Amino acid sequence: MNKDNCTYKREDYEDLSLRDAQMIMVDILEEVHKLCEKHELKYFLDAGTLIGAVRHKGFIPWDDDVDIGMLREDFNKFLEIAKKELPKHLFLQTFETDEYYDVYPVPCKIRYNDTMFLEEGAKENYEMHNGVYIDIFPYDSLPKHNFIYKIQRALSFNILKSYKRLRDIPEKLSFKNKITFSFYKLVVKMFPNKRRLKFFKFLVKWNDSKSEYMGYGVDTYWSEYVYKKSDYFDLAKLEFEGKFFYAPKNYHAILTQLYGDYMTMPKEEERVWHAKEIKKLKVKKVI
């Protein structure tokens, strides 16, 4: 990993507007799209990015991230390809490529070098790569039986929750919370980074590739969202910021399940975003 891109001196950076950051995200998305087209991998716009494409033909005006999804098989292939073929101005961030990465429910981000994106509510970590990014989420087919799915997701959720809670541990703890955090510490000790990743790969083997249903991967939090594969595939194309990207075929059913009346704009107080700082490296003047 290029340490120059993830060890920051604030005086070397200048503010970046939200709109400029959005255009950087589109550039990242284009490069991912090219790789997927080249290697016949399927991806799809997800969550708020999908709403943006449908409702605005681009970003939701206040949105400051891009989300896409891939079925596990394509996701795993993409990771191997991206290690070799991503352009040099981009960085593939996973728990394997960045030892300091600690955004535990997001297994993969593609970061833009020489930028900085710090999030609200997250403990600052200047050792990992903090560039402007897009999120890539794996999706898994479901196991044959619902009770197996519940066990699988309870195991993965509690491991992820333990890591996240220790990352965001408050300075002062009540006696009750000290006991809870002792449990989190025990879980993290039992599942250090490599063992955690290996255990998640084991849980993925419980899935049935022939299942008609899919959901966010076992290495994410969101087990409550389960979708019909037939609502996704074959994929359609939607306009996003003047370009066209892949999206679920029946995006209406998926967005309705996620958000209800997704075409109605939320109230201003509900329009939240992630960033507290967005910056780019200053261009050095040639004398």
Side-chain angles (χ1 to χ4, degrees), residues 181-241:
F181 274 89
S182 295
F183 170 76
Y184 296 149
K185 288 178 182 177
L186 178 62
V187 172
V188 169
K189 190 173 182 180
M190 289 172 60
F191 293 95
N193 200 29
K194 288 184 179 180
R195 189 179 296 170
R196 182 184 83 246
L197 297 176
K198 188 175 181 180
F199 185 65
F200 285 167
K201 288 179 181 178
F202 167 72
L203 292 180
V204 167
K205 293 179 181 179
W206 296 11
N207 297 327
D208 177 13
S209 61
K210 295 179 181 178
S211 174
E212 296 178 6
Y213 296 92
M214 61 189 243
Y216 286 101
V218 298
D219 37 1
T220 71
Y221 281 155
W222 304 283
S223 61
E224 65 269 33
Y225 301 115
V226 173
Y227 307 99
K228 291 181 180 178
K229 286 182 181 176
S230 59
D231 283 335
Y232 280 79
F233 306 105
D234 285 330
L235 298 170
K237 271 191 173 182
L238 291 178
E239 184 178 351
F240 188 85
E241 297 296 342

Side-chain angles (χ1 to χ4, degrees), residues 45 49-50 53-54 236-240 243-248 251:
L45 302 182
T49 308
L50 183 55
V54 174
K237 271 191 173 182
L238 291 178
E239 184 178 351
F240 188 85
K243 308 174 192 305
F244 286 84
F245 299 101
Y246 288 103
Y251 58 79

Side-chain angles (χ1 to χ4, degrees), residues 12 20 28 35 105 117 119 142 145-146 148-149 166 170 173 192 198 203 208 225 230 238 251 255 274:
D12 294 337
D20 285 341
I28 301 171
L35 278 185
F117 186 101
E119 298 189 42
L142 267 58
H145 303 290
N146 189 47
I148 294 177
Y149 180 65
L166 284 188
L173 293 173
K198 188 175 181 180
L203 292 180
D208 177 13
Y225 301 115
S230 59
L238 291 178
Y251 58 79
L255 289 176
H274 306 83

Side-chain angles (χ1 to χ4, degrees), residues 1-8 98 126-130:
M1 181 173 63
N2 186 348
K3 293 292 287 183
D4 292 337
N5 291 321
C6 55
T7 301
Y8 303 98
D98 185 345
Y126 290 106
E127 291 187 289
M128 76 175 184
H129 196 307
N130 281 292

Side-chain angles (χ1 to χ4, degrees), residues 47-259:
T49 308
L50 183 55
I51 286 185
V54 174
R55 195 169 69 198
H56 304 274
K57 294 189 177 181
F59 282 95
I60 296 171
W62 58 90
D63 200 7
D64 59 358
D65 72 349
V66 165
D67 298 317
I68 66 173
M70 298 180 185
L71 278 174
R72 178 71 63 178
E73 183 179 350
D74 288 324
F75 178 80
N76 288 343
K77 289 177 182 177
F78 174 81
L79 294 184
E80 293 307 311
I81 291 164
K83 287 175 186 176
K84 303 170 187 174
E85 298 187 30
L86 266 186
K88 290 184 179 179
H89 67 283
L90 300 181
F91 175 71
L92 172 70
Q93 187 174 49
T94 69
F95 300 105
E96 295 173 324
T97 63
D98 185 345
E99 63 180 308
Y100 300 106
Y101 182 50
D102 64 0
V103 187
Y104 298 109
V106 184
C108 176
K109 291 178 183 281
I110 308 294
R111 300 271 192 178
Y112 200 96
N113 291 335
D114 298 330
T115 63
M116 183 195 301
F117 186 101
L118 300 180
E119 298 189 42
E120 288 284 0
K123 200 170 185 179
E124 291 181 3
N125 174 359
Y126 290 106
E127 291 187 289
M128 76 175 184
H129 196 307
N130 281 292
V132 174
Y133 65 88
I134 73 169
D135 286 327
I136 303 181
F137 293 101
Y139 273 68
D140 285 333
S141 299
L142 267 58
K144 285 184 178 180
H145 303 290
N146 189 47
F147 76 91
I148 294 177
Y149 180 65
K150 287 182 177 179
I151 294 170
Q152 177 196 58
R153 297 312 296 247
L155 290 169
S156 65
F157 176 79
N158 280 290
I159 292 171
L160 288 170
K161 181 181 178 181
S162 296
Y163 267 89
K164 186 178 186 303
R165 289 300 176 94
L166 284 188
R167 176 197 177 195
D168 300 332
I169 186 169
E171 291 182 10
K172 294 182 180 179
L173 293 173
S174 67
F175 177 74
K176 183 179 178 181
N177 283 340
K178 284 181 180 178
I179 295 173
T180 304
F181 274 89
S182 295
F183 170 76
Y184 296 149
K185 288 178 182 177
L186 178 62
V187 172
V188 169
K189 190 173 182 180
M190 289 172 60
F191 293 95
N193 200 29
K194 288 184 179 180
R195 189 179 296 170
R196 182 184 83 246
L197 297 176
K198 188 175 181 180
F199 185 65
F200 285 167
K201 288 179 181 178
F202 167 72
L203 292 180
V204 167
K205 293 179 181 179
W206 296 11
N207 297 327
D208 177 13
S209 61
K210 295 179 181 178
S211 174
E212 296 178 6
Y213 296 92
M214 61 189 243
Y216 286 101
V218 298
D219 37 1
T220 71
Y221 281 155
W222 304 283
S223 61
E224 65 269 33
Y225 301 115
V226 173
Y227 307 99
K228 291 181 180 178
K229 286 182 181 176
S230 59
D231 283 335
Y232 280 79
F233 306 105
D234 285 330
L235 298 170
K237 271 191 173 182
L238 291 178
E239 184 178 351
F240 188 85
E241 297 296 342
K243 308 174 192 305
F244 286 84
F245 299 101
Y246 288 103
K249 176 180 68 176
N250 190 1
Y251 58 79
H252 174 70
I254 291 159
L255 289 176
T256 300
Q257 181 179 338
L258 265 173
Y259 302 105

Side-chain angles (χ1 to χ4, degrees), residues 62 264-272:
W62 58 90
T264 299
M265 296 276 279
K267 297 175 183 177
E268 283 197 34
E269 60 268 23
E270 296 173 354
R271 299 176 187 182
V272 298

